[in-house]
């Protein structure tokens, strides 16, 4: 009842012509900038933030939320078309999305991402509207021990990102973890692997690694084989998914949405973990898991849905507690403070038009985006028919802009170039970069939370099994490990499953 | 011969232009380097100052973000710039805490840079979580003698750690640091009942305090905070000496003529002393704190010595 009344307040506020217009503008701007390689939502919002200062607070936040989703949509388009993840969560979209594009199914992949995101966005908005306050307390239950055990699950699951050799995948994860330790150690203040240059004191940025390994590596590799490229551009295929595609994407989207909505609530790690977890889940339970990594539609639908559901529920800690779940959320919070709104539980009561208006406008934003994006699919796909002697230099240019915009540092550009060569070498060695990136993201979180849990428990290792949530994750991790360690069990299970189907 | 004459002429011209710039500084674009990424309090306050100075001097004042290595990269850049007042550094108090913990800085914070003026002052507040049910600083100090108390920091050698260690020193207690990537992570742990104490900026803890997830027990400053007028200062609570203000100030390459430095100092004090500036700063949990060149220089020297002593005593190192 209450929810209904609140949503009406929200619709009244969000459906004003002015706010609708700002939501639309935000979506368009976000998509346009997010589609540029190397520029993810974080860079997009920080660039466009000043544009919103002159607006009234509700309109400003609505526009920012539009930019946020728009950039996320744009980011998946880049991931699918040019093999470049603009943020952590689209590393997974690259795996199957780019393979689909190579098979001439780029349009279907982009449309699937949009449909999955829209559905997840709707569910996420409903959850946000109905359970924001009670769910907020879940975030508090996650301390060092819980996060540590969650990261263990994530790292073990990372093996599933590889479609080739398991040993190579483990190697890649470990290299990623080591790269993640570069910089000043949080706990001791010791500088690790900085080789005496202050440029590395703060570690390596995600964009540097992603652009280097994926985009630069791809461009170098494309130089040696243009035969491959011909098939890519000539055959654009269908733009819209077929009935068969819909049948296959539906369960993946449902699974992705649930996992994303749950993980999004956790400040810090949730958003980036959601798509990885969804992919791992698909790899375990999907009927078509054998095709994952080779252009399966589930590999795009699940993670994209998870990512967008998490993006919605990530607003829960931000709006209700004033605790940002990600750097992007921190920027949104900063924007609220700039407009004299103190985030926290009181926002709901003191400023209901803003709170519910924002929530409703998130849903409207998702609707605008799907209306905007489905017709644009053809346009984006046509970008691929640009001769690559024109397309690739342009991609390189935008990537360099994206890398430079992170720290305004030319050192980062050289570093990304270095990773480009490394990415090419890894490609030749048939080592996949996705597990490396996951190791890079999760490794430092694992270490940080492990050490924090140890300090707070005064060196008692039992803390990880004493905390119930942590224990559950560790049991899950052990189960995953056992199924991975004993391929025999897996083979038998696969055989049983095949008999059933 | 001609070359020597040429060099002499150039040197002469440089001296003359130096004199000229001392009188009618600035005659061209001034660059303020902010050694942090755009957005965030350092950048926002620095840009406000740059806009104000541009209007005051009717000269373009541009902001250049040179982030990296916890402000060291931007600071080193200014330290190596031409000492004419046209390249300035806008940096926070981390300038002095970093100097205390990092022995391998790519510049000398005392010899290479000259203090010009104070931009603004921000206040820190000591908050406690539900695990230590105390209402004031004296109770916290008492509790800390019988049980293990953990305080959150935003990294080794951060201003939050120094504020915590300073409280340890003044109260004669031994709270143990727990390091977090950012203050919000520490506040989540505090809300979850895992962390006892955090000393953070007033702005940062405000929403946690509003939702009763953190209890403010003392302001680590000489005056009370406008945002939390009921909370006593550390001195009022009986722990004078535990003040750990955060601040933002302007530095110039050493060798910048004194007359130019004085002119910039007056400019900063005019811009940041206006009623609009006070209102603007209040939004970011800060307030104006005008100082003369000498007073600011004194402030920086004292801060450097204070943090260095504390760093040595508690073995806080970040290199």
């Amino acid at each position: 009842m209450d929810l209904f009344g609140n949503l009406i307040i929200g619709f009244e506020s969000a459906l004003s012509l002015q706010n609708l217009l700002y939501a639309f503008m935000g979506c368009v701007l976000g998509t346009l900038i997010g589609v540029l390689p190397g520029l993810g939502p974080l860079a997009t919002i920080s660039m466009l933030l000043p544009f919103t200062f002159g607006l009234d607070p509700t309109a400003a936040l609505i526009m920012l939320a539009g930019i946020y989703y728009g950039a996320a949509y744009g980011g998946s388009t880049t991931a699918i078309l040019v093999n470049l993840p603009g943020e952590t969560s689209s590393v997974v979209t690259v795996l199957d999305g780019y393979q689909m594009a190579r098979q001439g199914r780029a349009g279907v992949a982009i449309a699937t991402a949009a449909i999955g995101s829209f559905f997840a966005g709707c569910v996420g908005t409903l959850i946000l509207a109905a359970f924001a306050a009670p769910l907020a307390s879940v975030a508090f239950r996650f301390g060092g021990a819980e996060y540590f055990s969650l990261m263990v699950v994530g790292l073990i699951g990372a093996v599933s990102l590889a479609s080739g050799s398991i040993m190579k995948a483990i190697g890649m994860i470990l290299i990623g973890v080591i790269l993640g330790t570069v910089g000043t150690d949080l706990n001791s203040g010791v500088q690790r692997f900085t080789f005496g240059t202050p440029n590395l004191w703060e570690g390596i940025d995600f964009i540097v690694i992603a652009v280097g390994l994926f985009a630069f590596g791809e461009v170098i590799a494309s130089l040696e084989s243009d035969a491959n490229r011909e098939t890519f551009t000539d055959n654009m295929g269908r733009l819209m998914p077929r009935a068969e595609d819909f049948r296959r994407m539906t369960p993946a989207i449902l699974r992705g949405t649930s996992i994303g909505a749950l993980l999004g609530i956790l400040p810090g790690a949730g958003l980036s973990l959601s798509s990885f977890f969804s992919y791992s889940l698909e790899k375990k339970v999907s009927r078509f898991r054998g095709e994952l990594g080779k252009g399966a539609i589930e590999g795009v639908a699940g993670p994209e849905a998870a990512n967008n559901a998490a993006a919605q529920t990530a607003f829960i800690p931000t709006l209700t507690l004033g605790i940002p779940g990600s750097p992007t959320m921190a920027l949104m919070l900063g924007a609220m403070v700039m407009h004299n709104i103190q985030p926290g539980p009181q926002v709901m009561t003191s400023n209901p038009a803003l709170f519910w208006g924002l929530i409703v406008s998130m849903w409207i934003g998702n609707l605008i985006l799907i209306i905007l994006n489905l017709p644009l699919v053809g346009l984006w796909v046509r970008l691929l028919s640009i001769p690559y002697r024109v397309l690739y230099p342009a991609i390189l240019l935008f990537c360099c802009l994206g890398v430079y915009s992170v720290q305004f540092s030319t050192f980062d550009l050289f570093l990304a170039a270095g990773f480009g060569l490394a990415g090419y070498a890894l490609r030749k060695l048939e080592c996949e970069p996705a597990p490396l990136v996951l190791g890079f993201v999760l490794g430092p979180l694992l270490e940080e939370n492990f050490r924090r849990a140890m300090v707070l428990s005064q060196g008692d290792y039992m803390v990880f099994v004493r905390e119930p949530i942590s224990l559950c994750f560790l049991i899950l991790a052990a189960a995953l490990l056992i199924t991975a360690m004993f391929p025999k069990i897996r083979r038998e299970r696969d055989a049983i499953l095949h008999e059933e189907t | 011969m001609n070359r020597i004459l040429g060099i002499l002429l150039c040197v002469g011209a440089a001296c003359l232009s130096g004199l000229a710039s001392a009188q009618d500084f600035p005659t061209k674009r001034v660059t303020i380097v902010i050694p942090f990424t755009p957005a965030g309090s350092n950048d926002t306050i620095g840009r406000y100052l740059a806009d104000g100075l541009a209007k005051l001097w009717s000269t373009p004042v541009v902001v250049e973000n040179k982030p990296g290595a916890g402000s060291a990269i931007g600071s080193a850049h200014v330290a190596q710039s031409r000492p004419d007042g046209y390249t300035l550094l806008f940096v926070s108090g981390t300038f002095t805490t970093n100097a205390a913990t990092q022995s391998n800085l790519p510049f000398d914070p005392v010899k290479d840079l000259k203090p010009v003026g104070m931009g603004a002052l921000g206040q820190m507040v000591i908050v406690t979580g539900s695990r230590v049910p105390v209402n004031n600083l004296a109770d916290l100090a008492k509790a800390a003698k019988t049980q293990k108390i953990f305080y959150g920091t935003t990294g080794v050698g951060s201003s939050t750690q120094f504020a915590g260690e300073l409280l340890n020193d003044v109260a004669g207690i031994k709270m143990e640091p727990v390091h977090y990537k950012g203050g919000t992570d520490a506040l989540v742990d505090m809300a979850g009942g895992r962390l006892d104490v955090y000393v953070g900026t007033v702005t940062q803890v405000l929403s946690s305090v509003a939702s009763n997830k953190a209890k403010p027990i003392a302001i680590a400053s000489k005056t009370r905070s406008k945002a939390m007028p009921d909370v006593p200062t550390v001195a009022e609570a009986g722990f004078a000496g535990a003040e750990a203000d955060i601040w933002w100030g302007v530095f110039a390459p050493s060798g910048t003529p004194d007359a130019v430095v004085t002119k910039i100092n007056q400019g900063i004090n005019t811009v940041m002393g206006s009623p609009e500036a006070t209102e603007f700063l209040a939004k970011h949990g800060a307030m104006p704190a005008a100082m003369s060149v000498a007073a600011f220089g004194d402030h920086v020297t004292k801060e450097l010595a204070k943090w260095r002593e504390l760093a040595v005593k508690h073995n806080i190192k970040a290199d």
Side-chain angles (χ1 to χ4, degrees):
Chain A
M1 229 26 226
D2 214 24
L3 172 68
F4 189 63
N6 287 332
L7 285 179
I8 288 192
I9 300 180
F11 271 106
E12 274 170 4
S13 153
L15 283 179
S16 79
L17 193 63
Q18 183 209 359
N19 287 346
L20 217 50
L21 192 70
Y22 282 121
F24 181 72
M25 273 169 51
C27 290
V28 174
L29 278 175
T31 311
L32 287 182
I33 295 194
V35 95
L36 296 179
L39 293 172
L42 183 62
T44 312
I45 293 197
S46 50
M47 275 190 320
L48 297 177
L49 196 60
F51 287 99
T52 66
F53 285 165
L55 308 177
D56 97 278
T58 314
L61 279 180
I62 286 176
M63 185 168 161
L64 278 174
I67 294 173
Y68 175 62
Y69 297 123
Y73 268 74
S76 3
T77 307
T78 330
I80 292 166
L81 292 183
V82 297
N83 191 26
L84 172 64
E87 46 169 340
T88 336
S89 49
S90 42
V91 170
V92 182
T93 313
V94 161
L95 298 177
D96 282 272
Y98 186 62
Q99 290 306 321
M100 285 179 76
R102 294 180 75 154
Q103 294 158 12
R105 279 159 57 83
V108 178
I110 296 175
T112 304
I115 294 164
S117 298
F118 175 69
F119 176 78
C122 294
V123 175
T125 307
L126 272 179
I127 293 176
L128 181 55
F131 307 113
L135 279 182
S137 61
V138 173
F140 294 139
R141 308 209 36 182
F142 273 72
E146 286 80 3
Y147 275 118
F148 166 79
S149 304
L150 182 64
M151 296 309 149
V152 173
V153 177
L155 279 175
I156 291 177
V159 177
S160 69
L161 291 183
S163 49
S165 151
I166 300 270
M167 277 318 287
K168 280 180 180 168
I170 294 174
M172 287 289 98
I173 295 171
L174 291 179
I175 292 176
V177 170
I178 292 170
L179 285 172
T181 60
V182 172
T184 309
D185 172 37
L186 181 68
N187 280 280
S188 63
V190 171
Q191 284 165 7
R192 303 187 289 200
F193 304 115
T194 54
F195 303 101
T197 166
N199 289 302
L200 285 174
W201 285 4
E202 287 178 6
I204 304 170
D205 195 86
F206 168 77
I207 291 288
V208 173
I209 288 200
V211 164
L213 288 183
F214 288 92
F216 288 1
E218 174 71 24
V219 171
I220 300 173
S222 74
L223 290 175
E224 63 184 29
S225 62
D226 42 9
N228 174 25
R229 192 59 33 187
E230 294 311 322
T231 55
F232 192 102
T233 45
D234 288 350
N235 178 12
M236 285 200 282
R238 277 176 67 95
L239 295 185
M240 288 303 139
R242 292 192 188 87
E244 163 69 8
D245 294 327
F246 275 108
R247 228 180 355 260
R248 282 183 56 174
M249 75 168 87
T250 311
I253 287 176
L254 288 175
R255 285 190 289 261
T257 304
S258 356
I259 223 168
L262 282 174
L263 286 170
I265 303 160
L266 304 176
L271 204 53
S272 43
L273 280 181
S274 58
S275 53
F276 287 119
F277 272 68
S278 159
Y279 195 86
S280 302
L281 186 71
E282 289 309 312
K283 199 96 184 193
K284 286 266 173 274
V285 305
S286 169
R287 275 174 52 199
F288 302 93
R289 59 177 170 275
E291 289 174 36
L292 280 170
K294 301 180 194 107
I297 200 162
E298 289 84 0
V300 175
E304 278 297 313
N307 177 28
N308 213 43
Q312 293 286 358
T313 49
F315 271 96
I316 291 179
T318 310
L319 284 174
T320 57
L321 305 170
I323 290 165
S326 67
T328 321
M329 282 293 135
L331 274 180
M332 299 280 289
L333 209 61
M336 288 171 87
V337 175
M338 283 303 285
H339 284 104
N340 277 332
I341 299 158
Q342 189 59 53
Q346 70 283 3
V347 169
M348 265 185 270
T349 43
S350 68
N351 223 330
L354 178 128
F355 184 85
W356 295 105
L358 180 60
I359 286 182
V360 169
S361 71
M362 286 176 194
W363 181 76
I364 294 176
N366 274 297
L367 187 69
I368 293 176
L369 277 167
I370 198 163
I371 297 172
L372 192 74
N373 271 283
L374 286 182
L376 281 182
V377 168
L379 178 74
W380 297 138
V381 173
R382 211 159 300 139
L383 282 179
L384 289 180
S385 58
I386 299 173
Y388 65 92
R389 63 173 186 280
V390 179
L391 185 65
Y392 277 132
I395 290 173
L396 282 180
L397 176 72
F398 284 122
C399 286
C400 290
L401 280 177
V403 168
Y404 186 73
S405 71
V406 177
Q407 287 269 325
F408 306 103
S409 146
T410 40
F411 178 83
D412 280 355
L413 285 175
F414 289 119
L415 203 57
F419 277 114
L421 292 177
Y424 175 69
L426 290 177
R427 198 174 289 251
K428 287 280 144 191
L429 297 169
E430 289 177 3
C431 295
E432 290 154 87
L436 186 153
V437 173
L438 188 59
F440 174 76
V441 173
L442 298 189
L445 286 169
L446 180 89
E447 184 197 9
E448 184 191 332
N449 285 294
F450 175 74
R451 291 171 75 173
R452 184 177 305 142
M454 290 315 287
V455 171
L456 284 171
S457 69
Q458 302 184 39
D460 179 9
Y461 286 99
M462 294 312 283
V463 66
F464 299 107
V465 290
R466 205 169 42 231
E467 299 292 336
I469 300 177
S470 168
L471 182 64
C472 290
F473 283 134
L474 286 180
I475 292 171
L476 182 62
L480 279 174
L481 201 60
I482 289 167
T483 52
M485 292 277 276
F486 299 100
K488 209 176 153 225
I489 303 178
R490 208 166 69 178
R491 235 176 290 136
E492 278 167 12
R493 205 192 52 181
D494 281 2
I496 294 167
L497 278 172
H498 276 291
E499 274 162 31
E500 277 173 0
T501 51
Chain B
M1 207 52 199
N2 268 347
R3 270 176 66 185
I4 295 175
L5 199 66
I7 291 170
L8 281 176
L9 273 175
C10 284
V11 171
C15 287
L16 277 177
S17 72
L19 276 177
S21 64
Q23 279 148 17
D24 44 45
F25 176 90
T27 53
K28 56 171 186 180
R29 196 182 75 166
V30 178
T31 303
I32 295 186
V33 173
I34 297 180
F36 301 98
T37 43
S41 58
N42 296 297
D43 186 60
T44 322
I45 298 177
R47 280 178 192 274
Y48 183 86
L49 174 66
D51 287 348
L53 288 177
K55 274 181 208 131
L56 185 73
W57 292 335
S58 313
T59 310
V61 179
V62 296
V63 166
E64 211 177 299
N65 295 92
K66 278 203 185 296
S71 83
I73 286 179
S75 306
H77 171 80
V78 176
Q80 288 149 15
S81 296
R82 191 195 291 264
D84 53 7
Y86 289 98
T87 310
L88 301 169
L89 175 70
F90 181 86
V91 73
S92 68
T94 53
F95 180 80
T96 53
T97 47
N98 285 350
T101 57
Q102 299 176 334
S103 59
N104 56 351
L105 285 175
F107 66 100
D108 187 317
V110 181
K111 285 191 196 130
D112 295 349
L113 288 161
K114 195 174 199 173
V116 176
M118 176 70 106
L121 207 71
Q123 293 178 312
M124 303 249 262
V125 56
I126 303 167
V127 293
T128 55
S130 56
R131 227 171 62 149
V132 274
V134 295
N135 292 315
N136 54 52
L137 214 46
D139 285 353
L140 176 67
K142 216 179 287 164
K145 280 177 182 141
T146 55
Q147 71 185 90
K148 190 125 194 151
I149 300 279
F150 293 98
Y151 77 94
T153 84
T154 50
V156 174
S158 61
S159 54
T160 46
Q161 185 182 8
F162 275 108
E165 290 300 339
L166 196 61
L167 181 61
N168 268 345
D169 254 27
V170 172
I173 53 176
K174 276 200 182 116
M175 303 187 296
E176 197 164 317
V178 187
H179 302 291
Y180 293 85
K181 271 262 161 66
T184 47
D185 294 348
L187 289 168
V188 172
D189 254 10
M190 179 168 274
R194 289 175 295 270
L195 182 69
D196 309 308
V197 176
Y198 178 64
V199 192
T201 63
V202 172
T203 348
Q204 189 175 38
V205 303
L206 216 50
S207 56
S208 289
V209 169
S211 53
N212 287 323
K213 301 287 183 200
K215 189 192 286 175
I217 55 168
I219 303 285
S221 183
K222 288 232 177 345
T223 54
R224 290 193 178 202
S225 160
K226 277 196 186 117
M228 302 173 179
D230 300 332
V231 182
T233 66
V234 279
E236 286 169 345
F239 295 86
E243 292 88 0
D245 285 317
I246 50 166
W247 50 269
W248 296 269
V250 175
F251 291 76
S254 61
T256 308
D258 286 340
V260 171
V261 168
T262 310
K263 176 118 194 228
I264 302 169
N265 175 279
Q266 287 160 354
I268 297 167
N269 290 345
T270 312
V271 170
M272 300 314 271
S274 73
E276 299 89 73
T278 309
E279 198 181 315
F280 164 83
L281 288 173
K283 260 191 222 174
H284 296 274
M287 52 195 178
M291 283 186 191
S292 68
V293 178
F296 181 60
D298 199 36
H299 172 77
V300 173
T301 313
K302 272 191 196 147
E303 287 269 301
L304 281 170
K306 177 172 155 187
W307 302 134
R308 204 159 264 163
E309 190 195 335
L310 207 61
V312 170
K313 191 168 170 186
H314 296 280
N315 196 23
I316 308 172
K317 264 193 255 170
D319 53 11

